[in-house]
Amino acid sequence: MHPILNLKNATKQFTTPDGHIITALNNVSLIVEQNEFVTLLGPSGCGKTTLLRAISGFEDLETGSITIDGALVTNLPAHKRPVNTVFQSYALFPHLNVARNVAYSLEILGMPKADITNKVGSMLELVGLEGFGDRRINQLSGGQQQRVALARSLVAQPKILLLDEPLSALDKNLRHKMQQELKTLQEEIGIAFVFVTHDQEEALTMSDRIVVLNEGEIQQLGSPEDLYRRPKSEFVARFIGEGNLLDGKVVDVFGDRARISLPSGTEIVLSQSNLIARSDVKLLVRPEDVLVGQVGIPKEVLSFNGIVDHIFFVGTDYQLIVKVDGYPTLKALVRSTGETRSHVPAAGDTVCLSISIDSLHAIPSVDHN
Ligand code: ADP
Ligand code: MG
């Protein structure tokens, strides 16, 4: 693998009109490989746009360095960096037709007309807009405008494409379609995409790796499965996916395993090497791993009886909210299949819940001593 982007210790501060200093990026380091689809995920205001603007050269850093394809670009102006950005607003030129919008950056570079026509043609083909060259921008749907914006950003062959919440303005169905198209396009052209979203589901489905940001700092960086199954903090566990967090205390650690006691007094042993003896932890279990009314699970399990408080039908699953003595209310899922539909529990029913020890992941509590 070949790093296309190497961002080291980037810090960016803004001073508000009333003199407050906002640290939008705090010592952020990130390496992106060629061909990689990396997503910046985090709540509004966490620094996602600032990070993209720093990479593209629209924002100077207080400290840190940026290398793109082996060349230091920290002090290069935006137009000299081999990157391009797709914005949520598309920022298309309404008075130019589709072809001229796509051709714009090549015209500025002074490329011969015939070459431009060729390149624009193949770009429009790539994004599925063959034959749309003469259309006016306001004659296009949201999805088509999005494709024009993509074609315009890709035509100058950037080494990295930056995308700032490009799908946020689209309705859900179109958004899902564009997610798949974008992913396929990225694999086809084989350049790195740094994609911004505040939507965890979008991040999980599209990314090779996800960077979770909060208040200008990287909380965790890893594959979608890593972040979903093995979050390092409560913030990441809560931000990505639905989850149940149970209280636990580490009794002792031995090798790469830890013995943990639950409030009920039950002790379990987890294969995790990052835990500290006598510290508090939260035990994460995802709703799909809380099994309802199942018997005969071969591995060690925790099991408890609870009372169904609410049940929601969401199409693929029934979501159960279950009250259990001595625990927070637990979320469980029952797959909605022909087989299960006839005996889905109802509110008020007593159900037996079981959790395999394997599906528990311990997260260190922040203020352990
Ligand atoms: P995100 O894209 O994740 O929503 P931003 O990168 O836009 O977040 O902003 C990060 C933080 O920096 C926010 O607190 C925001 O208010 C602040 N910020 C961004 N740009 C400026 C600016 N030009 N002047 C002052 N504060 C800014
Ligand atoms: Mg933003």
Side-chain angles (χ1 to χ4, degrees):
M1 293 269 250
H2 171 66
I4 195 75
L5 172 70
N6 192 347
L7 181 86
K8 272 193 201 153
N9 309 107
T11 297
K12 174 70 198 175
Q13 292 181 327
F14 293 108
T15 308
T16 61
D18 54 353
H20 282 99
I21 290 179
I22 295 170
T23 304
L25 297 176
N26 189 4
N27 201 28
V28 171
S29 295
L30 172 66
I31 289 178
V32 176
E33 305 290 339
Q34 226 163 24
N35 306 345
E36 221 186 354
F37 196 117
V38 171
T39 297
L40 310 179
L41 173 68
S44 180
C46 72
K48 304 181 295 293
T49 295
T50 305
L51 183 49
L52 284 197
R53 287 173 59 80
I55 296 169
S56 61
F58 292 115
E59 216 69 82
D60 289 332
L61 295 172
E62 260 70 50
T63 66
S65 67
I66 304 173
T67 306
I68 297 176
D69 200 19
L72 195 65
V73 303
T74 318
N75 297 316
L76 274 189
H79 68 275
K80 294 209 167 143
R81 299 189 188 190
V83 302
N84 218 330
T85 307
V86 177
F87 301 97
Q88 182 189 339
S89 61
Y90 313 145
L92 298 171
F93 304 119
H95 59 288
L96 300 180
N97 67 19
V98 168
R100 292 287 311 283
N101 262 279
V102 178
Y104 186 77
S105 65
L106 303 181
E107 287 171 3
I108 286 184
L109 289 174
M111 185 181 275
K113 262 208 151 71
D115 293 352
I116 293 181
T117 308
N118 276 338
K119 283 213 163 206
V120 169
S122 57
M123 264 308 135
L124 289 180
E125 198 183 319
L126 185 71
V127 298
L129 285 179
E130 235 176 325
F132 279 72
D134 294 332
R135 289 274 194 107
R136 296 179 63 84
I137 297 301
N138 61 12
Q139 295 171 327
L140 301 178
S141 69
Q144 289 166 336
Q145 290 185 27
Q146 179 66 77
R147 292 194 189 103
V148 178
L150 267 172
R152 189 182 58 175
S153 309
L154 288 169
V155 77
Q157 295 181 299
K159 288 180 174 154
I160 307 170
L161 188 68
L162 309 173
L163 304 101
D164 197 352
E165 311 218 18
L167 307 181
S168 302
L170 306 176
D171 63 59
K172 197 175 173 200
N173 284 340
L174 184 55
R175 188 172 175 151
H176 280 160
K177 186 162 173 270
M178 288 299 294
Q179 285 173 359
Q180 287 164 11
E181 281 188 19
L182 208 54
K183 181 78 183 146
T184 310
L185 181 71
Q186 187 265 338
E187 284 163 6
E188 230 172 86
I189 56 179
I191 65 166
F193 276 28
V194 180
F195 179 89
V196 164
T197 184
H198 60 262
D199 179 337
Q200 45 103 7
E201 199 185 310
E202 186 161 281
L204 288 176
T205 45
M206 299 187 73
S207 321
D208 295 320
R209 284 189 305 152
I210 300 173
V211 182
V212 181
L213 281 171
N214 191 34
E215 297 182 353
E217 290 183 14
I218 294 185
Q219 301 294 308
Q220 194 170 347
L221 200 166
S223 70
E225 287 90 345
D226 245 1
L227 297 189
Y228 188 79
R229 302 261 165 243
R230 291 172 292 278
K232 285 184 183 155
S233 62
E234 234 181 289
F235 178 84
V236 175
R238 288 185 193 279
F239 200 75
I240 295 187
E242 291 277 328
N244 299 294
L245 289 165
L246 315 177
D247 289 324
K249 195 166 183 74
V250 180
V251 180
D252 53 7
V253 294
F254 44 103
D256 54 2
R257 305 207 291 171
R259 188 191 321 277
I260 294 167
S261 69
L262 300 172
S264 60
T266 309
E267 287 192 354
I268 58 172
V269 173
L270 296 188
S271 299
Q272 256 181 262
S273 57
N274 61 332
L275 303 174
I276 298 167
R278 289 177 299 283
S279 67
D280 290 330
V281 290
K282 290 282 183 192
L283 294 163
L284 170 69
V285 58
R286 298 296 184 185
E288 63 272 24
D289 288 325
V290 179
L291 305 178
V292 180
Q294 300 221 1
V295 285
I297 297 153
K299 291 259 171 76
E300 281 184 276
V301 290
L302 287 173
S303 66
F304 5 67
N305 286 331
I307 295 174
V308 179
D309 198 38
H310 277 95
I311 179 157
F312 303 100
F313 175 57
V314 292
T316 51
D317 300 285
Y318 295 91
Q319 287 186 354
L320 273 60
I321 309 291
V322 184
K323 281 187 172 160
V324 181
D325 274 353
Y327 288 91
T329 53
L330 290 177
K331 290 181 205 140
L333 290 181
V334 176
R335 223 19 13 175
S336 156
T337 65
E339 226 175 288
T340 57
R341 270 196 288 279
S342 51
H343 39 87
V344 173
D349 284 359
T350 297
V351 288
C352 169
L353 301 180
S354 43
I355 299 171
S356 156
I357 304 295
D358 282 353
S359 60
L360 288 167
H361 171 76
I363 299 166
S365 285
V366 188
D367 47 337
H368 58 68
N369 285 306

